[in-house]
Amino acid sequence: MAYDKFNILTSTAVPLPIENVDTDQIIPARFLKATERKGFGDNLFRDWRYNQDSTVKEDFVLNNSKYTGKILVGGKNFGSGSSREHAAWAVYDYGFRCVVSSFFADIFRGNCLNIGVLPVQVSADFLQKIFDAIEADPNTELVVSLPEQKITLLSTGESESFDINDYKKNNMMNGFDDIDYLLNIKQDIETFAQNTPL
């Protein structure tokens, strides 16, 4: 399933300064019945966004209209817990294209990269600067450049580099998942097969 290409993203951000956010908090287990990637955004952080009677919890950040954007800024150890890929689906389906944290669980990071959400890991100090800037001004913008592998806080001009696997970087810049990548090189694969003796 192809997704939107990721090149340079300039956006405001939604701050979630909570450490050890696990996948069951991102998308509770009772919402894992669907097999398509659609509709999960409605239940992103469901138990934090809504009361048991489905009324809105006004104090949760996703219910605060002053915070918007395509970037979610989370605390340390974001995406821990179970390996459910639905957590990444929910983040993408809600509208986030990038998650920033000082540490990601490996499986969650991989699931994000497979569907077009860029996990940007920064130092704890830089993460705190981002949180402080957003708290001071919710209209604070971040620039995430995948080609340069750099995230910049526009209000101060400060930036940090981040790491990403070259294969995943190429896929994200082209909007490919693993199957799209193989289809894109189908001719090369067929040529190799024809020229390789059995």
Side-chain angles (χ1 to χ4, degrees):
M1 177 178 170
Y3 46 77
D4 296 335
K5 296 178 181 180
F6 195 116
N7 196 304
I8 297 174
L9 174 64
T10 301
S11 176
T12 51
V14 176
L16 188 67
I18 301 172
E19 294 188 356
N20 304 312
V21 174
D22 67 37
T23 52
D24 193 54
Q25 292 159 336
I26 296 171
I27 183 74
R30 64 187 182 277
F31 298 112
L32 305 186
K33 297 175 183 177
T35 55
E36 294 186 10
R37 297 177 185 170
K38 300 174 183 177
F40 287 96
D42 293 339
N43 295 308
L44 177 68
F45 297 116
R46 175 76 189 196
D47 294 337
W48 289 355
R49 287 166 67 192
Y50 299 99
N51 295 302
Q52 288 188 346
D53 62 0
S54 295
T55 56
V56 172
K57 292 183 179 181
E58 301 290 349
D59 59 344
F60 186 60
V61 66
L62 291 190
N63 297 327
N64 190 334
S65 60
K66 73 179 181 179
Y67 296 115
T68 61
K70 295 186 175 183
I71 300 172
L72 176 64
V73 184
K76 181 181 179 181
N77 195 26
F78 193 90
S80 58
S82 75
S83 61
R84 69 187 66 164
E85 58 188 340
H86 305 73
W89 295 359
V91 170
Y92 182 90
D93 193 57
Y94 186 85
F96 291 119
R97 294 303 315 283
C98 175
V99 181
V100 181
S101 176
S102 59
F103 183 80
F104 290 98
D106 286 341
I107 294 176
F108 177 78
R109 180 204 304 269
N111 288 338
C112 283
L113 288 168
N114 287 339
I115 64 156
V117 175
L118 180 62
V120 172
Q121 187 165 314
V122 297
S123 67
D125 287 344
F126 193 70
L127 182 67
Q128 190 58 53
K129 288 179 181 179
I130 294 173
F131 281 134
D132 291 345
I134 297 171
E135 183 178 359
D137 179 10
N139 293 316
T140 292
E141 288 188 316
L142 297 168
V143 179
V144 180
S145 173
L146 182 53
E148 294 182 293
Q149 295 179 214
K150 184 171 72 172
I151 179 171
T152 303
L153 185 56
L154 273 185
S155 59
T156 65
E158 293 174 277
S159 64
E160 261 196 17
S161 297
F162 59 88
D163 293 328
I164 183 172
N165 173 280
D166 287 341
Y167 167 71
K168 293 298 185 182
K169 177 180 179 179
N170 180 69
N171 276 3
M172 287 202 70
M173 292 181 66
N174 285 286
F176 292 161
D177 63 13
D178 292 333
I179 294 174
D180 297 314
Y181 172 78
L182 290 174
L183 290 173
N184 185 60
I185 61 169
K186 180 180 178 182
Q187 186 60 53
D188 294 338
I189 295 171
E190 291 176 346
T191 299
F192 177 80
Q194 291 170 0
N195 296 327
T196 301
L198 295 176

